Amino acid sequence: MSAKILFSSVKFDKYELEDTLPAKFQRLIDQMDLEEIVKDKWTVIKMHLGRKIGYSTIHPIFVKILTDRLKEYGAKVFITDQIVSGGQDRGYTEDYLGVPITPACGIMDQYFYERKVDFKSLKDIDVAGHIQDAEVMIDLSHVKGHGACGYGGACKNIAMGCVTDRTRQQIHHLSGGLSWLEDLCTHCEACVNSCNYHANQFTEENKYQINFHDCTFCQHCVKICPTNAITVEDEQYGNFQTGMAICTEEVLKTFLPGHVFYINFLTNITALCDCWGFTTPPLVPDIGIMASHDIVAIERASLDAIKMEDLIPAGIPQGLELGGDGHLFQRLHGKNPFIQLNELEKRGLGAQDYSLVEIK
């Protein structure tokens, strides 16, 4: 049986308040069957609060609508993210939203529950303490592209946002992606000097080292190297997506069945993750909001809604040539975004079959 995806479109029929997306979002929430589950329970809203001067995260008015409705349902609500400092620059404040905003792993990133796994370099899933302690989770995600895996949505919001730096580093390390050929290297350090994210260095032993947590796979180091000593090995990005699925599974195990809800915002759909700390023009026009109990189905529905034929050329760098095959995100980043869905499905976390139910 296909999963039900509630969907509110940005399209409108008339110039009236009740026909706008925030009003539709209120009605969508009421159709999610939340009230009986969240009543009297600690309910965490996991979202990305953005970085630096980025402005494409979910607009605070929608977060306020959600927190208000959850409180009306009797939930004990709080918001969390990996990093919450700076969220006020985008309007995410406790005064406005009316609920606490707390770092997922505590203010020192040291409050977590350790779980052991064994997938290549991924050994430790450190589930954020404030995630595991919650009784219900709303996975509130902004859909966008992602340089390391093609696509970031509900899975990425959990896998990279509900864990410690140690786990994020291990997941990023799965990518491989960049290889250093020592015999070709002249140690000119052009690669280090060109990195905008200080993600690489030469060690005391003169070995080239990449911090995959900070690396955005912008490939500046590849393009600047005069001897081709750094190369791209894209085939390893599938390991990154598998690692995200494994991490998502471990996080979801901490909740009772039916106690996690997924809301994907398909607005301001940009090429890069909000972690970059800046915003580029959207790739496609705004689409709307989706909600479901099934993480795999909502991810599939979100990807299906983002179509190559709707591309806005201003959303990609001038002069960039897109690839010729696959989803828009694959043509942009060279990475098949559906791998993470397949890996989630393999783990019994949902199915890619879905039916859309429009909430007007």
Side-chain angles (χ1 to χ4, degrees), residues 112-308:
F112 61 89
Y113 297 85
E114 184 179 38
R115 307 171 79 94
K116 292 294 184 182
V117 296
D118 188 14
F119 177 68
K120 301 183 183 296
S121 62
L122 180 59
K123 305 296 183 183
D124 305 287
I125 307 296
D126 301 330
V127 180
H130 290 302
I131 294 293
Q132 179 154 332
D133 289 349
E135 299 168 278
V136 180
M137 179 166 70
I138 311 294
D139 182 12
L140 184 66
S141 305
H142 171 227
V143 167
K144 63 276 176 189
H146 195 286
C149 57
Y151 163 75
C155 175
K156 189 265 178 186
N157 192 32
I158 292 175
M160 306 303 290
C162 293
V163 294
T164 62
D165 281 339
R166 176 173 71 163
T167 298
R168 280 187 290 275
Q169 289 165 356
Q170 290 182 16
I171 295 174
H172 272 291
H173 188 69
L174 290 168
S175 301
L178 301 176
S179 293
W180 178 58
L181 305 176
E182 187 171 8
D183 292 344
L184 297 179
C185 183
T186 63
H187 298 87
C188 67
E189 298 198 1
C191 53
V192 175
N193 295 330
S194 73
C195 182
N196 293 325
Y197 301 94
H198 309 293
N200 55 1
Q201 64 178 344
F202 283 94
T203 67
E204 293 180 359
E205 294 77 29
N206 229 10
K207 302 289 186 181
Y208 184 63
Q209 184 179 76
I210 301 173
N211 180 348
F212 282 101
H213 175 68
D214 294 330
C215 177
T216 62
F217 290 83
C218 65
Q219 300 176 26
H220 285 184
C221 56
V222 176
K223 296 173 183 176
I224 201 70
C225 180
T227 62
N228 297 318
I230 305 173
T231 59
V232 179
E233 296 181 357
D234 276 341
E235 68 270 13
Q236 297 185 55
Y237 77 84
N239 291 338
F240 180 95
Q241 297 199 44
T242 300
M244 288 205 307
I246 292 170
C247 187
T248 297
E249 179 182 22
E250 292 300 318
V251 172
L252 294 181
K253 284 179 182 177
T254 69
F255 293 92
L256 293 173
H259 282 57
V260 180
F261 299 83
Y262 306 95
I263 303 175
N264 278 8
F265 271 71
L266 289 91
T267 57
N268 293 312
I269 302 169
T270 55
L272 300 175
C273 179
D274 297 321
C275 298
W276 282 58
F278 60 82
T279 294
T280 54
L283 289 169
V284 295
D286 285 353
I287 297 168
I289 306 168
M290 294 184 182
S292 180
H293 296 263
D294 188 315
I295 186 173
V296 184
I298 196 171
E299 295 285 68
R300 181 71 196 218
S302 296
L303 283 168
D304 286 349
I306 300 167
K307 302 180 184 300
M308 180 65 199

